[in-house]
Amino acid sequence: MTDRVRDWFGPRVAVVTGGGSGIGRAIAAALAGEGACVVVADIAETAARDAAVELERSGGRASAATIDVSKEADAQRMVETAVKTYGRLDLLVNCAGNLPALKPVVDLSEAEWRALIDVHLTGTFLCCRAAYDQVRENGGAIVNLSSSYAFKGRPNAAEYSAAKAGIFGFTRVIASELAPRATVNALAPGPIDTPRWRAGLSDEELAAKRAKRVKDVPMGRLGAPEDIADAALFLLGPQARWITGQVIHVNGGEFYP
Ligand code: NAD
């Protein structure tokens, strides 16, 4: 990256929720690689700690926070961890996510609906609200993880699609509130090969899923977590200061909004 990018990230402090795995872990690594201090926040304690240790071993500055984004007190504690450890918070990436039940609406229980909405949508709200004053004061940036599912309307993912569409709407509102001080944008990834994407599948099932999904992707491959990290780094960095309230589709051409 250029000096301009390193000069921007060097003094800045970031929190990445869901930073213990997949896309969040790649974003945390990208931020630390550009010199930002990173708090890896995840419900999975070992994953958060391992990710932070790995970043430090690679020469970055990182800490772990074990938090559940759907709990107000945890979101607050996450921000306090950044401020106590590094003195400030500039950048927030809302990447934490649990898995949908993968059932048609008629079979989806209220508990399953609420469990997913609580983490993806309410969690994004709680973390943004907890970070709001710091990000505004410091002229920072927020990136929220939406999904192509928010736009496509596919069967068996009602609670996930609704949460991810909600994140897009929420992003626009908070972007308008934080302007002109800070930017807020959403990323809508297509299929990204992460632990979440592979969850519960045998090797044969996974090979079949990969072969099937890649046919929908004009760029000829599934996404890697680093593809999303590159887009997140751009939105959090100095080259995107006039981009706010937007959703960027990072999907290999799978879907044209
Ligand atoms: P992942 O499962 O690899 O990582 C998600 C992380 O979130 C895990 O470390 C998990 O422990 C953590 N997490 C779950 N619930 C939490 C909670 N309540 N509080 C704090 N942390 C919690 O998943 P991923 O594929 O890297 O997905 C990351 C984000 O990107 C999610 O929001 C997902 O919906 C979104 N996304 C993923 C894809 C994809 O194809 N993988 C596509 C579009 C959007």
Side-chain angles (χ1 to χ4, degrees), residues 21 23 42-43 67-69 95 97 120 160 164 190 192 194 196:
S21 176
I23 294 169
D42 205 292
I43 200 168
I67 55 108
D68 178 345
V69 293
C95 206
H120 285 262
Y160 185 68
K164 293 307 200 185
I192 310 298
T194 64
R196 162 202 188 78

Side-chain angles (χ1 to χ4, degrees), residues 29-250:
L31 285 164
E34 291 304 330
C37 297
V38 181
V39 176
V40 179
D42 205 292
I43 200 168
E45 184 176 3
T46 308
R49 200 180 49 235
D50 288 354
V53 167
E54 189 178 287
L55 296 183
E56 294 237 301
R57 281 205 189 115
S58 312
R61 294 171 293 170
S63 314
T66 309
I67 55 108
D68 178 345
V69 293
S70 68
K71 304 272 186 289
E72 184 179 20
D74 282 19
Q76 201 56 49
R77 183 162 52 79
M78 175 183 85
V79 171
E80 283 163 14
T81 300
V83 174
K84 273 188 200 147
T85 312
Y86 300 114
R88 56 191 286 147
L89 173 60
D90 306 271
L91 311 170
L92 170 67
V93 182
N94 285 299
C95 206
N98 51 354
L99 292 167
L102 297 178
K103 293 174 178 176
V105 170
V106 70
D107 294 330
L108 193 61
S109 72
E110 183 181 341
E112 287 166 335
W113 172 274
R114 287 189 189 279
L116 194 294
I117 299 284
D118 268 3
V119 173
H120 285 262
L121 184 55
T122 309
T124 297
F125 154 64
L126 290 173
C127 293
C128 283
R129 194 181 63 179
Y132 196 101
D133 289 342
Q134 278 286 317
V135 171
R136 183 176 54 188
E137 271 166 44
N138 297 330
I142 298 175
V143 168
N144 296 325
L145 266 291
S146 179
S147 167
S148 56
Y149 270 76
F151 301 85
K152 285 190 307 195
R154 288 274 171 88
N156 303 328
E159 80 280 41
Y160 185 68
S161 299
K164 293 307 200 185
I167 285 173
F168 177 38
F170 174 72
T171 296
R172 287 182 154 176
V173 173
I174 189 170
S176 64
E177 289 184 15
L178 287 179
R181 293 284 305 153
T183 65
V184 189
N185 291 289
L187 287 171
I192 310 298
D193 200 341
T194 64
R196 162 202 188 78
W197 201 82
R198 300 190 282 268
L201 300 178
S202 68
D203 287 351
E204 294 75 34
E205 288 168 334
L206 184 57
K209 183 179 178 184
R210 282 188 175 127
K212 183 165 177 280
R213 291 295 273 115
V214 86
K215 284 188 191 144
D216 299 331
V217 182
M219 291 307 286
R221 64 172 175 83
L222 296 175
E226 290 72 22
D227 291 312
I228 306 305
D230 285 343
L233 207 66
F234 168 69
L235 288 175
L236 295 166
Q239 292 154 321
R241 297 308 294 167
W242 210 51
I243 300 175
T244 198
Q246 306 300 316
V247 60
I248 298 200
H249 295 264
V250 187

